[in-house]
Amino acid sequence: MEAIASMILIPLAFWLDVSKVERALLISSLLILLIVEMLNTAIEVVVDRIGTEIDPLSGLAKDVASTSVMFATILAGSVWAIIVLY
């Protein structure tokens, strides 16, 4: 979902009438979101690869990685809302 949103929003950032700094913030917030999502996926794959047994540390690693994606999503949404709506 983040990749599809980025494919739409990054070109939109070039179309919007905003300053160069604002455009950079719009695009970089989306790229940060994609980077964090890839790291989250990597952590989940490694945890799943190590073993199938339930371990509290494995669950914690996945939870923290997922939470980082949530914060990156909030960051990107906030940046876009502040720049585009105000």
Side-chain angles (χ1 to χ4, degrees):
M1 288 175 42
E2 290 95 350
I4 293 170
S6 294
M7 288 190 304
I8 295 168
L9 292 175
I10 289 175
L12 179 62
F14 287 101
W15 181 76
L16 292 172
D17 185 27
V18 295
S19 71
K20 291 178 183 179
V21 172
E22 289 172 328
R23 185 172 292 115
L25 287 170
L26 292 172
I27 294 169
S28 62
S29 69
L30 295 171
L31 294 177
I32 288 170
L33 175 58
L34 292 175
I35 290 166
V36 172
E37 182 62 54
M38 288 188 293
L39 292 171
N40 175 48
T41 301
I43 290 169
E44 289 188 3
V45 168
V46 168
V47 168
D48 290 343
R49 172 68 177 96
I50 290 173
T52 58
E53 67 277 353
I54 296 175
D55 186 301
L57 292 177
S58 297
L60 179 61
K62 286 183 165 189
D63 290 344
V64 170
S66 295
T67 303
S68 67
V69 172
M70 179 189 68
F71 284 134
T73 303
I74 291 169
L75 171 69
S78 298
V79 168
W80 275 80
I82 290 168
I83 291 174
V84 174
L85 299 177
Y86 296 105

